[in-house]
């Protein structure tokens, strides 16, 4: 996930920061470019690997539909959207780090949810039947809708509850909401056609064809990618 810098007591730090003279209120510097560059930095191998896993499972499917050029344009835009979401959510706090690509990747997850909700995602889980048995590997497949809903549900719940766990949930939400909006615009403008696998078609059936096109309506991917 996207990680924020750890601040032991944010309210105490904020109060102390506001008490300083204006020329002393410096905890770091902000540059607009950081809205993008934060997505290329991670705190370690596991952080990077977790993001790459979601990018491979969800992002590659979106890329296959919209094309390489469109993905190259939209990915940084989603990273910026995630950064803006987090920047807005922490506007009353002192400057602190934000690292990770998951805002952009959750944007691709939002697009995936709109374009391929019924597609199956193969999952692996380790389970222990009892304290006397070892771990066993279970393989199963679930609809993509449930995978995305599960993870974004955590972000919504933690945000509503005000949980401070070192994860930038608003970066996830910012990217996700932007990704869903972009996917819907692409569908309704008929720049792309998900061949009946999109959420609109799943909900409306043939009635969606007048909005997003019939499944056999061949369309070039966005930008011809």
């Amino acid at each position: 996930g996207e990680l924020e810098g750890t601040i032991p007591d944010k309210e105490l730090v904020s109060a102390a920061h506001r008490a300083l003279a204006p020329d002393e209120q410096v905890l770091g510097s902000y540059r607009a470019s950081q809205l993008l560059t934060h997505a290329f930095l991670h705190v370690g191998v596991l952080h990077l690997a977790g993001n790459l896993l979601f990018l491979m499972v969800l992002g590659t499917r979106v890329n296959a539909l919209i094309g390489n050029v469109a993905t190259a344009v939209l990915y940084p835009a989603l990273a910026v959207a995630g950064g803006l979401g987090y920047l807005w959510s922490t506007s009353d706090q002192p400057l602190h780090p934000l690292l990770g690509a998951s805002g952009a990747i959750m944007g691709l997850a939002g697009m995936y949810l709109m374009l391929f909700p019924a597609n199956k995602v193969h999952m692996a889980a380790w389970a222990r039947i009892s304290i006397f048995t070892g771990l066993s590997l279970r393989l199963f497949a679930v609809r993509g809708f449930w995978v995305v809903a599960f993870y974004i549900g955590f972000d919504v719940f933690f945000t509503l509850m005000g949980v401070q766990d070192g994860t930038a949930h608003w970066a996830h939400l910012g990217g996700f909401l932007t990704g869903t909006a972009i996917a819907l615009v692409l569908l309704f403008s008929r720049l792309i056609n998900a061949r009946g696998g999109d959420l609109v078609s799943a909900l409306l059936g043939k009635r969606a064809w007048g909005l997003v096109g019939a499944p056999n309506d061949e369309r070039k991917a966005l930008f011809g990618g």
Side-chain angles (χ1 to χ4, degrees):
E2 197 127 14
L3 301 181
E4 58 175 304
T6 300
I7 300 178
D9 189 331
K10 292 183 179 179
E11 297 217 354
L12 181 60
V13 172
S14 296
H17 185 252
R18 290 192 296 269
L20 295 173
D23 60 340
E24 296 177 327
Q25 294 182 4
V26 178
L27 293 180
S29 60
Y30 165 76
R31 298 180 180 87
S33 60
Q34 293 169 331
L35 292 172
L36 175 62
T37 57
H38 79 274
F40 297 96
L41 301 172
H42 293 77
V43 297
V45 174
L46 290 179
H47 186 204
L48 176 62
N51 279 336
L52 287 177
L53 177 62
F54 277 84
L55 181 62
M56 290 173 59
V57 173
L58 304 178
T60 54
R61 188 67 186 88
V62 174
N63 172 251
L65 178 63
I66 69 175
N68 294 334
V69 175
T71 302
V73 172
L74 291 179
Y75 183 84
L78 293 170
V80 170
L84 286 173
Y86 184 72
L87 190 65
W88 170 81
S89 71
T90 59
S91 59
D92 61 339
Q93 300 176 15
L95 292 175
H96 56 277
L98 173 68
L99 300 174
S102 51
I105 293 171
M106 286 305 294
L108 293 174
M111 295 185 70
Y112 186 99
L113 181 64
M114 295 296 105
L115 300 174
F116 315 106
N119 275 30
K120 288 187 176 180
V121 175
H122 295 276
M123 307 284 290
W126 281 264
R128 185 192 298 271
I129 300 176
S130 72
I131 60 174
F132 302 105
T133 60
L135 291 174
S136 61
L137 177 63
R138 303 297 176 88
L139 302 176
F140 57 96
V142 296
R143 301 291 182 186
F145 172 86
W146 295 111
V147 176
V148 177
F150 177 81
Y151 284 99
I152 200 64
F154 269 108
D155 288 315
V156 172
F157 176 77
F158 278 45
T159 299
L160 291 176
M161 299 301 294
V163 177
Q164 301 295 330
D165 61 345
T167 300
H169 296 288
W170 267 109
H172 297 181
L173 293 172
F176 178 82
L177 293 173
T178 303
T180 58
I182 289 174
L184 289 174
V185 169
L186 297 180
L187 282 172
F188 289 135
S189 63
R190 301 197 183 186
L191 285 170
I192 59 173
N193 187 300
R195 296 177 176 82
D198 57 274
L199 186 62
V200 179
S201 297
L203 294 175
L204 300 180
K206 291 184 178 181
R207 289 174 292 179
W209 295 0
L211 299 172
V212 300
N216 58 358
D217 184 12
E218 292 295 330
R219 300 278 174 180
K220 291 182 68 176
L222 182 62
F223 302 145

